[in-house]
Amino acid sequence: MFDFSIDFPLLSHMEIKKFFDESSRYIMNTYNRYPIMLRKGRGIKVWSSDGREYLDFVGGVAVNILGHCHPRVVVAIQKQAQRLIHVSNYYYIEPKIKLAKLLVEHSFADKVFFCNSGAEANEAAIKLARKYSKEHAGTDRFEIIAAKNSFHGRTLATLTATGQEKIQHGFEPLVPGFSHVPFNNMDALRKAVTGSTCAVLLEPIQGEGGVRLPDQDYLKDVRELCNEHNLLLMLDEVQTGMGRTGKLFAYEHYGVAPDIMTIAKGLGGGVPIGAMLATDRIASAFQPGNHASTFGGNPLGCAAAVATMETILEDGFILDQCNRMSKYFIERLEELKTKFPGIIREVRGKGLLLGMELTREGDPVVRACLEKGMLINCTAGNVLRFIPTLILQRKDIDQLIDVLHGILSKLI
Ligand SMILES: Cc1ncc(COP(=O)(O)O)c(C=O)c1O
């Protein structure tokens, strides 16, 4: 059995510095990393190689739904690793079938395609939408309307779908067949529909774009527009799915069902796995040979995801806790806003996908939090984002608020 007390020797500052140097020397320069090396995590806590303790409100960027090294996920991985780590999709495996059944039984969908990441799930969705529409709506139907400020991934098609020039810059020519409209604006969306449109792709709540929520009726209106024009509604729930917003999937808040949905991040409790879900009608456009992924839905990822999903669904405790903590977290952030009206513009979000928009750059606050033992994230330049484990406690929130209070006091 897994030894939960497992520990590793601490490293000296010289040893850590050597790793930092080797990281720059051997790893491509695609991330600005903060100067800490993490070695261990439990629940909301992580520890660095020099022995410091941190509260993690980043959660692997909305991945660690159940916190770090949740015992059920660890045991599931361990058991599966002893049994079978990988086999080809040419063969049946139990954890994949179990996971697909769980996902179908708890969503609008009838069928699942498994992959390894959010971008890969969106690639699959884009391909399925094009294939279905060409076959059922007309050979000239291939265009997808997405939202400005959205984020759908870093592959060529998904960065084209992403409505942010900074993500696309340098990678032109982009993939043909995408257009963008302002999020939460029905008039703009209506005007953007042409005879070539096949689908609308949206995040129910924009995460990377700065935690932006739509009006309550927006997605319902989008659904109606899609029905009217025979368009597919594709929801990217890579960040919002798996209980992050207080319901298993964010679309449940808005009383709509998509035709296609993508998930990843929280699905495997930290193990890389993604999925694209669809209704039978749409899914039937994919036949053997149309799409594939060597590692997609491999035994290890699926076993971790089954454990994660069963834990989330069991007796509703985790979603209840997420909603309780969300309410308390928002109250405490609003208190800060009242105290620092010149620094905090708005507090927003759902469940434990929360954002606090500042009137200035957020990175100095992130760095100051790090110094004080708090990992937080900043997105869209000035939005502090809090995306911790759903099994958060009031005392964790209180500690963060105290630290933020101290930091913001010095900024006035
Ligand atoms: C809404 C959304 N879609 C897609 C992605 C891309 O996921 P991945 O990084 O797993 O490819 C992300 C990642 O942040 C995301 O937030």
Side-chain angles (χ1 to χ4, degrees), residues 53-297:
E53 183 179 299
Y54 296 84
L55 286 193
D56 183 3
F57 286 85
V58 180
V61 190
V63 166
N64 299 313
I65 289 275
L66 300 178
H68 292 279
C69 298
H70 189 282
R72 280 185 63 175
V73 179
V74 171
V75 169
I77 293 169
Q78 193 182 39
K79 280 189 178 163
Q80 189 59 48
Q82 286 171 342
R83 219 175 264 152
L84 188 67
I85 294 178
H86 180 79
V87 286
S88 160
N89 271 304
Y90 293 144
Y91 312 106
Y92 294 96
I93 54 160
E94 208 178 307
K96 192 194 314 268
I97 300 164
K98 267 193 185 163
L99 179 59
K101 187 167 177 226
L102 272 174
L103 286 168
V104 164
E105 284 177 353
H106 292 91
S107 73
F108 73 96
D110 303 307
K111 292 280 194 293
V112 185
F113 172 84
F114 288 113
C115 53
N116 307 284
S117 68
E120 212 190 320
N122 285 331
E123 284 278 344
I126 292 164
K127 281 180 69 177
L128 182 62
R130 281 191 174 186
K131 186 145 192 306
Y132 173 83
S133 301
K134 275 175 198 277
E135 287 170 7
H136 295 271
T139 48
D140 52 349
R141 301 275 291 262
F142 62 91
E143 265 178 23
I144 293 171
I145 304 174
K148 291 193 173 154
N149 226 14
S150 59
F151 186 82
H152 299 294
R154 300 283 192 158
T155 61
L156 255 189
T158 60
L159 74 80
T160 307
T162 292
Q164 301 187 49
E165 272 173 30
K166 69 170 195 265
I167 305 271
Q168 300 169 338
H169 182 68
F171 301 108
E172 300 82 357
L174 302 179
V175 176
F178 291 88
S179 64
H180 295 92
V181 294
F183 185 59
N184 199 27
N185 182 329
M186 272 315 291
D187 285 342
L189 182 59
R190 238 177 244 115
K191 282 190 195 129
V193 176
T194 71
S196 307
T197 310
C198 76
V200 175
L201 170 62
L202 295 170
E203 296 156 86
I205 296 170
Q206 293 190 327
E208 301 301 303
V211 190
R212 305 209 174 261
L213 279 78
D215 294 339
Q216 188 57 33
D217 285 339
Y218 175 63
L219 288 178
K220 240 190 231 162
D221 293 344
V222 175
R223 176 74 271 180
E224 272 172 30
L225 184 77
C226 287
N227 293 349
E228 204 180 301
H229 294 272
N230 196 15
L231 312 177
L232 301 182
L233 174 58
M234 304 202 282
L235 292 182
D236 176 343
E237 294 236 21
V238 167
Q239 187 154 156
T240 53
M242 304 313 295
R244 171 61 54 197
T245 68
K247 291 196 184 277
L248 190 58
F249 301 112
Y251 71 78
E252 297 169 42
H253 290 289
Y254 298 104
V256 293
D259 301 297
I260 298 177
M261 173 175 77
T262 52
I263 53 176
K265 288 197 183 278
L267 178 59
V271 177
I273 179 166
M276 187 266 290
L277 290 76
T279 58
D280 258 332
R281 179 173 66 97
I282 316 296
S284 62
F286 267 178
Q287 293 298 315
N290 290 150
H291 197 53
S293 168
T294 297
F295 288 112

Side-chain angles (χ1 to χ4, degrees), residues 19 22 86 151 233 258 280 289 295 314 319 354 372 379 401:
F19 273 113
E22 288 184 349
H86 180 79
F151 186 82
L233 174 58
D280 258 332
F295 288 112
E314 212 164 67
L319 294 182
L354 299 178
K372 300 281 179 197
T379 188
I401 298 293

Side-chain angles (χ1 to χ4, degrees), residues 280-339:
D280 258 332
R281 179 173 66 97
I282 316 296
S284 62
F286 267 178
Q287 293 298 315
N290 290 150
H291 197 53
S293 168
T294 297
F295 288 112
N298 100 330
L300 202 63
C302 287
V306 168
T308 304
M309 215 174 151
E310 282 179 349
T311 309
I312 295 171
L313 293 169
E314 212 164 67
D315 73 26
F317 165 78
I318 285 175
L319 294 182
D320 285 352
Q321 180 70 359
C322 171
N323 287 312
R324 270 194 301 272
M325 289 305 105
S326 171
K327 189 165 171 284
Y328 182 66
F329 208 152
I330 291 172
E331 275 167 26
R332 301 280 347 246
L333 291 172
E334 288 286 0
E335 266 172 46
L336 281 182
K337 182 174 168 247
T338 311
K339 283 184 189 151

Side-chain angles (χ1 to χ4, degrees), residues 376-397:
I376 66 164
N377 164 257
C378 174
T379 188
N382 66 338
V383 180
L384 300 184
R385 184 172 45 164
F386 310 103
I387 33 185
T389 169
L390 307 190
I391 328 180
L392 186 68
Q393 294 181 16
R394 287 167 80 104
K395 65 176 171 39
D396 306 322
I397 298 169

